[in-house]
Amino acid sequence: MKNKENLKTQAGLAMLVLSLGIFLLVYMIVVEDEPGAIPLVLILLGVAWLVKIRFSIGQKRS
């Protein structure tokens, strides 16, 4: 039960990091006309974190 809540919290944080990266990417493209490294790293980190969580959920079911 606690693991399920922990995974939900981690998924929420991963989505927050991903959405922050997307927001910063759009902002930097509009303002500075180039994306920059930090938003791209945030997006990759968020996606990798979500993939890790998905694999964790799949392993717990089997």
Side-chain angles (χ1 to χ4, degrees):
M1 190 70 151
K2 187 160 187 131
N3 286 335
K4 188 175 182 180
E5 292 174 9
N6 188 18
L7 287 176
K8 283 185 179 182
T9 303
Q10 284 189 17
L13 289 173
M15 290 298 293
L16 181 66
V17 169
L18 181 63
S19 58
L20 179 64
I22 291 171
F23 173 75
L24 282 175
L25 183 70
V26 170
Y27 175 76
M28 288 184 75
I29 288 174
V30 169
V31 172
E32 298 178 6
D33 292 330
E34 45 185 66
I38 293 174
L40 295 175
V41 168
L42 287 173
I43 291 170
L44 291 175
L45 181 68
V47 168
W49 198 357
L50 284 173
V51 168
K52 180 183 173 258
I53 291 169
R54 293 290 179 184
F55 281 126
S56 296
I57 291 172
Q59 289 177 352
K60 294 205 186 290
R61 287 184 182 171
S62 53

